[in-house]
Amino acid sequence: MCAHVLVAEDDEMQAELIRRSLLAEGHTATVVHDGRAALDAARRLAPDLVVLDLMLPVIDGFGVCRVLRRDEDIPVVMLTARSEEDDVLLGLELGADDYMTKPYSPRELMARIRTVLRRSGRGAVADRPEDPVVRAGSLAVDPVRHEVRCDGAPVECTPAEFEIVLAMVAEPERVFSRRQLLEVTRGTDRASTERAVDVHIMNLRRKIEADPRRPVRLLTVFGVGYKLSGGRG
């Protein structure tokens, strides 16, 4: 059981991060990168909720929200790099149900989406008997309870480590660059650097590998980045 969320975000890396987070929550997602495409997709697909960046090309988020409120009845969570009170108030006056200011934590965004869906009665989020758990081999991540287990045993993770392992467990065998993993941690570790990503990976190996010096789960792809093995390990 899930909701269908339309993500309108022109930053492809941010859009992909939101898409992965939605999939990890058990939702389905459609991603578009400009305001015209957002309106077309909203009319064609009738999503349960729209995650809407204000700074979209072609038609900005204010214009998209204005049309959605005039023609449709779809909940909207706005994303904005602008923190000025007037911009936030305008978005809310146009009918946005909630907003978040960048940079933000993907986990907090998912919590806001759950709240808006529950309040609006859209989707099936409120009726799910249990929270979704994302698995890859012997790793299991619960994005709602913020829990990680390896071979059934709990793994204590920092917020940044949790965001990294959640992203990687949602797409096992995908190679993530250090920059992509840095973006994953941006909402929890804003002072982080690409070098800090290596430290997070090293710490995660200590927690999930039998021998951190010879990892079989969290692997280095030399010259590119890291990937999580989909096998048991």
Side-chain angles (χ1 to χ4, degrees), residues 101-159:
T101 302
K102 298 178 180 180
Y104 55 84
S105 161
R107 190 156 49 92
E108 182 181 357
L109 175 59
M110 294 304 108
R112 299 284 189 96
I113 287 172
R114 286 197 302 273
T115 298
V116 172
L117 286 168
R118 189 177 298 114
R119 190 167 61 224
S120 67
R122 291 266 185 161
V125 173
D127 299 324
R128 289 186 306 187
E130 58 186 42
D131 296 322
V133 176
V134 189
R135 293 180 175 85
S138 55
L139 275 175
V141 182
D142 187 326
V144 176
R145 293 187 178 89
H146 204 264
E147 294 176 348
V148 178
R149 289 185 174 271
C150 182
D151 293 322
V155 178
E156 294 295 327
C157 292
T158 67

Side-chain angles (χ1 to χ4, degrees), residues 16-183:
E16 176 63 11
L17 175 57
I18 296 169
R19 186 189 72 83
R20 288 201 310 264
S21 298
L22 288 166
L23 294 180
E25 285 276 299
H27 304 304
T28 58
T30 298
V31 175
V32 296
H33 300 297
D34 68 69
R36 173 58 63 192
L39 290 174
D40 291 343
R43 290 162 179 155
R44 185 176 73 255
L45 302 174
D48 297 304
L49 181 141
V50 178
V51 176
L52 180 63
D53 180 34
L54 282 183
M55 303 299 289
L56 291 174
V58 186
I59 301 174
D60 67 16
F62 292 123
V64 172
C65 191
R66 186 178 290 109
V67 173
L68 287 177
R69 278 294 167 263
R70 186 187 68 205
D71 300 340
E72 312 286 343
D73 184 24
I74 302 172
V76 173
V77 175
M78 278 189 164
L79 304 178
T80 176
R82 305 170 173 178
S83 58
E84 289 85 354
E85 184 179 19
D86 288 347
D87 291 323
V88 171
L89 291 177
L90 177 56
L92 296 175
E93 287 171 3
L94 288 173
D97 296 86
D98 203 349
Y99 73 93
M100 293 197 68
T101 302
K102 298 178 180 180
Y104 55 84
S105 161
R107 190 156 49 92
E108 182 181 357
L109 175 59
M110 294 304 108
R112 299 284 189 96
I113 287 172
R114 286 197 302 273
T115 298
V116 172
L117 286 168
R118 189 177 298 114
R119 190 167 61 224
S120 67
R122 291 266 185 161
V125 173
D127 299 324
R128 289 186 306 187
E130 58 186 42
D131 296 322
V133 176
V134 189
R135 293 180 175 85
S138 55
L139 275 175
V141 182
D142 187 326
V144 176
R145 293 187 178 89
H146 204 264
E147 294 176 348
V148 178
R149 289 185 174 271
C150 182
D151 293 322
V155 178
E156 294 295 327
C157 292
T158 67
E161 291 166 2
F162 181 86
E163 298 298 348
I164 287 174
V165 77
L166 174 59
M168 298 184 83
V169 99
E171 296 186 81
E173 304 298 340
R174 172 182 170 177
V175 179
F176 290 83
S177 69
R178 288 175 177 81
R179 178 159 184 80
Q180 287 170 326
L181 291 176
L182 179 62
E183 288 297 325

